[in-house]
């Protein structure tokens, strides 16, 4: 069971309240904007769940509280500080408030590094497991390293070809660039494929871990049988 707590704060105190929630281990849930038809001002509601407190409450009586920060009486032309430096996941909500109502939200700081908001904290409200998060980060590092290797190899080969041939060796240098790029690109594709396979396996393990043990065993058996069939087809 959950209950909602609403705390009205002034706009200039919003970031300090958000910082306090972040320090307490709260997780961002959502944010929405609405227009007051009586006076034309706007209202923002930021919703969080204090994970540490919720875990204790759930252990005691199965309940937990959803915490809401409410900013009322906002003029359309007031600048609203983005809370994305604390919670990157707020970006689509802040963007929607801007697109729907024209609200001026400033200082958005977004860097999803290839994946949309991900967390690895235990329940309640987990998005991914620590294993899947680690696999995603590894996949990104492998891909970045492979791309850097390909660029370095191409540049070194091109420089060597240009130095050996001197002026007028543009065609030779171009060919030299193409060859190492293709070779290094092949390595990059191989490494990326391996990283994606590892990520897929980690995500599947996360799903299996959440299943009933008997059902998980059946799924594992089906996956093993499929893998064997795929291997036979490749070898044929």
């Amino acid at each position: 069971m959950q209950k909602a707590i609403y705390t009205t704060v002034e706009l200039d105190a919003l970031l300090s309240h958000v910082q306090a929630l972040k320090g307490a281990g709260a997780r961002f849930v959502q944010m929405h904007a609405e227009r007051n038809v009586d006076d034309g001002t706007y209202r923002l509601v930021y919703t969080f769940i204090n994970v540490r407190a919720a875990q204790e409450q759930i252990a005691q009586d199965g309940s937990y509280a959803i915490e809401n920060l409410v900013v009322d009486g906002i003029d359309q032309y007031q600048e609203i500080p983005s809370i994305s430096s604390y919670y990157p996941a707020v970006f689509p909500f802040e963007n929607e408030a801007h697109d729907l109502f024209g609200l001026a939200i400033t200082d958005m700081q977004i860097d999803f590094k290839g994946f949309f908001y991900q967390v690895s904290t235990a329940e309640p409200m987990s998005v991914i497991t620590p294993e899947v998060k680690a696999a995603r980060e590894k996949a990104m590092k492998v891909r970045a390293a492979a791309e850097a290797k390909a660029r370095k190899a191409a540049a070194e080969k091109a420089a060597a070809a240009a130095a050996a041939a001197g002026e007028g060796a543009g065609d030779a240098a171009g060919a030299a660039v193409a060859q190492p790029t293709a070779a290094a690109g092949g390595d990059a594709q191989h490494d990326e494929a391996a990283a994606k396979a590892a990520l897929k396996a980690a995500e599947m393990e996360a799903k299996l871990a959440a299943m009933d043990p008997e059902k998980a065993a059946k799924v594992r058996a089906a996956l093993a049988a499929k893998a064997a069939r795929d291997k036979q087809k490749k070898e044929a």
Side-chain angles (χ1 to χ4, degrees):
M1 182 179 181
Q2 66 185 43
K3 59 181 179 180
I5 299 172
Y6 291 88
T7 304
T8 300
V9 301
E10 296 296 325
L11 183 59
D12 58 5
L14 173 63
L15 290 183
S16 62
H17 282 274
V18 171
Q19 184 179 27
L21 284 168
K22 182 74 173 182
R27 185 175 304 158
F28 174 78
V29 178
Q30 67 174 18
M31 168 264 206
H32 76 270
E34 56 191 46
R35 185 173 183 273
N36 186 331
V37 296
D38 293 329
D39 60 10
T41 60
Y42 295 86
R43 181 176 189 248
L44 298 177
V45 181
Y46 299 81
T47 304
F48 306 83
I49 177 170
N50 191 325
V51 178
R52 296 170 191 167
Q55 288 173 333
E56 295 176 1
Q57 293 168 359
I58 289 172
Q60 291 175 2
D61 59 13
S63 68
Y64 62 94
I66 295 292
E67 300 185 29
N68 300 275
L69 295 181
V70 182
V71 184
D72 241 327
I74 298 173
D75 183 89
Q76 185 176 14
Y77 302 103
Q78 277 185 281
E79 290 191 348
I80 303 163
S82 170
I83 69 167
S84 57
S85 60
Y86 298 103
Y87 294 99
V90 76
F91 168 69
F93 300 94
E94 290 181 337
N95 189 63
E96 181 182 57
H98 171 270
D99 289 349
L100 289 179
F101 301 112
L103 296 179
I105 299 175
T106 62
D107 299 322
M108 290 187 187
Q109 299 178 33
I110 305 300
D111 182 7
F112 294 119
K113 297 181 179 178
F115 288 98
F116 204 74
Y117 190 54
Q118 52 188 308
V119 297
S120 58
T121 309
E123 290 189 7
M125 299 186 71
S126 289
V127 176
I128 62 172
T129 65
E131 293 77 16
V132 172
K133 184 174 186 290
R136 287 182 174 179
E137 291 174 347
K138 182 178 179 181
M140 286 187 284
K141 289 179 180 178
V142 169
R143 181 172 185 174
E147 290 175 348
K149 180 181 177 182
R151 289 194 297 269
K152 182 179 179 181
E156 289 176 349
K157 191 68 174 182
E167 295 183 3
D171 293 341
V177 171
Q179 291 177 3
T181 300
D187 291 339
Q189 290 176 358
H190 179 272
D191 291 342
E192 185 178 351
K196 286 182 177 179
L199 174 58
K200 186 176 181 180
E203 290 176 335
M204 178 54 68
E205 282 300 319
K207 291 179 181 178
L208 290 171
M211 291 182 186
D212 174 79
E214 185 176 347
K215 182 178 180 181
K218 292 180 180 179
V219 173
R220 288 182 190 278
L223 290 173
K226 183 179 184 301
R229 289 194 301 270
D230 292 343
K231 184 178 180 181
Q232 289 179 348
K233 289 180 181 178
K234 288 181 180 180
E235 294 175 351

